[in-house]
Amino acid sequence: MGARSGRLVCSIAAALMAMPVLVAGGLAQTAQPPAAAPTTTPAPAMPASPETTPKQAKPKSPNDPALDTINPTRFGKGPEDDAFGAYQRGLYKTAYNLALPRAEAGDPNAQVLLAEILARGLGVPVNMQESANWYGKAADHGLPEAQFRYAVILLRGKYAPKDPKRAKELMKSAADAGNAPAEFNFGQILLQERPGATGVENAYPWFQKAADKGLPDGEYALSQILANGTLTIPRDDAKARQYLAKAAAKGYDTAQLDLGSWLVTGRGGAKNYKAGFGWMLRAATGGNVAAQGRLAKLYRDGIGVDGDFIKAAAWYIVAKRAGLNDPELESFMAGLDDSQTQAAIAEANKLQ
């Protein structure tokens, strides 16, 4: 259950690509008639511009146990107990030993605690099959957290037999109970079932619920839908940009990339070159290869930052080492003299 590894593989953008598209002003948009204002909750306010420094950790998948802070509500709303208290203090082997007899006696909260310990290998060897077994038992008791986790396991079919039908039922139950990652993933399931506009419209309210709880995956999904629109969901670039900003502020690198581009081009609001550069730098330092290539162009052209051919070339070298090939930047590199190229290589080595 590593970072992002549990997220359902289903692209909002790919689903939207199945819909008729018009190109205006260089930006793709879905063909649609005028429509009334959306019936969603108000979009969040735009956060402040980022600092233009530091490489940051990428956000984890909503399916990664390490994403969640340790608190009693993850294991149900019962009173505090010795097993959870030991877990909270880092006494994982003790927590395991205290929880095991309770879990075997049918206590769903203890079952989830055991599943977490086994999945992370805290004080005991990692045992994903046994972890899956305990998640399944707790899911049968109706715990939303366990239902979500076990649904993901059933969708993958690696640590328990694959069962998409049961997975959907459990994901829906957890989503109905207000589990934000389950809401997002249930939306993804609906999107997979009906690619194109219908799937997007079915998934939209679930993404909205997840976004309302502050889940960056949901916020980014909403931004993509609102940036394109459907026959029933009006395109709204301003609101899409606000959701991009929320996801970007939480470290979602693709949102940082998109927000940087939108701020530079003025899509969804006023142009802000400096802020656009800052978000692009955040995404680039976080390892987003597309952002690294675009950052190279911002340095080359002096957009949002003083022009710097050496840094421009350095960022393209970093991106190229990761597999990016941009003919425009290749032409730029060909125009550098030997001393500039060597300086750029030295700078690129520092960036990696």
Side-chain angles (χ1 to χ4, degrees):
M1 294 187 181
R4 292 196 174 201
S5 63
R7 182 176 303 163
L8 294 179
V9 182
C10 182
S11 168
I12 307 287
L16 290 165
M17 284 176 65
M19 300 160 59
V21 171
L22 298 176
V23 178
L27 298 173
Q29 61 184 45
T30 303
Q32 60 177 17
T39 57
T40 60
T41 55
M46 177 86 74
S49 300
E51 294 298 325
T52 58
T53 47
K55 184 171 183 176
Q56 63 188 107
K58 290 185 179 181
K60 294 182 173 63
S61 162
N63 307 328
D64 183 358
L67 175 69
D68 307 289
T69 56
I70 298 174
N71 63 75
T73 62
R74 274 183 58 71
F75 310 108
K77 296 185 178 179
E80 291 189 23
D81 57 69
D82 291 341
F84 178 75
Y87 179 91
Q88 203 170 28
R89 295 192 300 275
L91 304 174
Y92 302 121
K93 181 61 175 176
T94 299
Y96 179 89
N97 290 335
L98 290 170
L100 182 58
R102 288 175 42 205
E104 291 174 336
D107 183 336
N109 297 326
Q111 290 168 346
V112 173
L113 180 54
L114 282 185
E116 294 270 322
I117 291 172
L118 288 162
R120 301 192 198 191
L122 301 174
V124 298
V126 171
N127 189 328
M128 297 304 297
Q129 285 81 6
E130 189 64 14
S131 173
N133 180 55
W134 286 118
Y135 274 133
K137 291 180 182 297
D140 288 340
H141 286 284
L143 263 65
E145 173 69 18
Q147 291 174 328
F148 163 63
R149 300 288 181 191
Y150 196 55
V152 172
I153 291 167
L154 293 176
L155 286 168
R156 291 177 182 169
K158 185 175 182 180
Y159 302 116
K162 193 169 186 176
D163 189 343
K165 181 179 178 181
R166 176 63 174 154
K168 182 180 178 181
E169 292 171 353
L170 289 171
M171 196 71 77
K172 175 64 160 57
S173 181
D176 285 338
N179 181 289
E183 290 167 343
F184 170 76
N185 278 272
F186 185 65
Q188 289 276 59
I189 290 173
L190 297 177
L191 192 57
Q192 281 186 323
E193 289 180 341
R194 299 289 298 275
T198 299
V200 170
E201 289 161 3
N202 290 342
Y204 183 71
W206 294 102
F207 292 151
Q208 180 75 68
K209 290 175 185 290
D212 288 346
K213 292 182 177 66
L215 190 73
D217 299 83
E219 292 165 343
Y220 184 71
L222 280 189
S223 76
Q224 298 306 287
I225 294 172
L226 292 168
N228 289 273
T230 71
L231 291 176
T232 63
I233 304 169
R235 173 177 168 174
D236 189 334
D237 282 357
K239 188 173 286 187
R241 178 160 143 175
Q242 290 175 321
Y243 278 114
L244 276 179
K246 291 289 287 183
K250 295 181 176 74
Y252 202 105
D253 63 321
T254 310
Q256 293 170 343
L257 163 67
D258 289 354
L259 180 61
S261 296
W262 284 36
L263 287 163
V264 167
T265 62
R267 183 173 179 181
K271 291 182 179 180
N272 188 328
Y273 296 129
K274 184 176 180 180
F277 169 83
W279 284 115
M280 198 67 72
L281 180 60
R282 281 236 189 142
T285 55
N288 187 294
V289 177
Q292 292 166 352
R294 295 190 193 183
L295 186 68
K297 294 179 181 179
L298 295 181
Y299 269 119
R300 180 198 63 186
D301 300 334
I303 297 176
V305 66
D306 291 337
D308 190 323
F309 281 8
I310 302 302
K311 288 184 178 179
W315 276 110
Y316 180 54
I317 290 169
V318 170
K320 189 171 182 179
R321 288 172 178 172
L324 181 71
N325 184 50
D326 186 305
E328 184 181 335
L329 288 172
E330 286 291 330
S331 178
F332 162 70
M333 293 292 292
L336 300 179
D337 61 35
D338 290 343
S339 64
Q340 289 174 314
T341 300
Q342 292 304 312
I345 292 173
E347 181 69 19
N349 291 338
K350 295 177 185 177
L351 293 171
Q352 291 186 312

